[in-house]
Amino acid sequence: MRTDRNLTVLCVDDDRGDRKLLHDAFVENGIRVNFVGLDSSASLLAYLHDASDRDGTSFPDIILLDLNMQPRDGRDALEEIKSDTRFRH
């Protein structure tokens, strides 16, 4: 993928090591990225609501979401994202 700007990637995983591994993979492959590591579904939803409140232009290009997190798993967050018209894209 070629782009003239950095991609914004949200990596939502409760395992810090997994987030670092994914970040390093982007860097090692020369992909220009603004990598945001979040540790819960709640923090993902807060990030998206905050982006929407600003003006909607700071939404991430990619969300990498761990589906098996506690206490609220990624499936719940995904359902909420899909049901909210601001986030569907």
Side-chain angles (χ1 to χ4, degrees):
M1 169 183 268
R2 294 181 189 256
T3 181
D4 60 341
R5 66 178 180 81
N6 289 5
L7 292 174
T8 299
V9 175
L10 291 186
C11 178
V12 186
D13 195 315
D14 55 355
D15 186 311
R16 178 182 292 227
D18 287 348
R19 292 191 310 266
K20 179 169 178 15
L21 181 69
L22 287 166
H23 173 263
D24 292 349
F26 280 101
V27 172
E28 289 171 10
N29 285 285
I31 300 170
R32 297 183 344 197
V33 63
N34 296 325
F35 191 90
V36 179
L38 303 173
D39 63 2
S40 68
S41 294
S43 60
L44 165 62
L45 295 169
Y47 181 100
L48 293 175
H49 285 283
D50 187 49
S52 176
D53 290 344
R54 282 193 298 271
D55 62 9
T57 62
S58 56
F59 284 121
D61 297 298
I62 300 169
I63 299 173
L64 303 172
L65 177 60
D66 179 2
L67 297 179
N68 298 311
M69 294 185 290
Q70 296 297 326
R72 184 172 183 196
D73 72 14
R75 289 173 189 85
D76 289 338
L78 189 56
E79 282 184 37
E80 186 169 332
I81 290 167
K82 287 176 148 182
S83 70
D84 192 318
T85 58
R86 295 171 296 172
F87 307 146
R88 281 189 186 160
H89 69 282

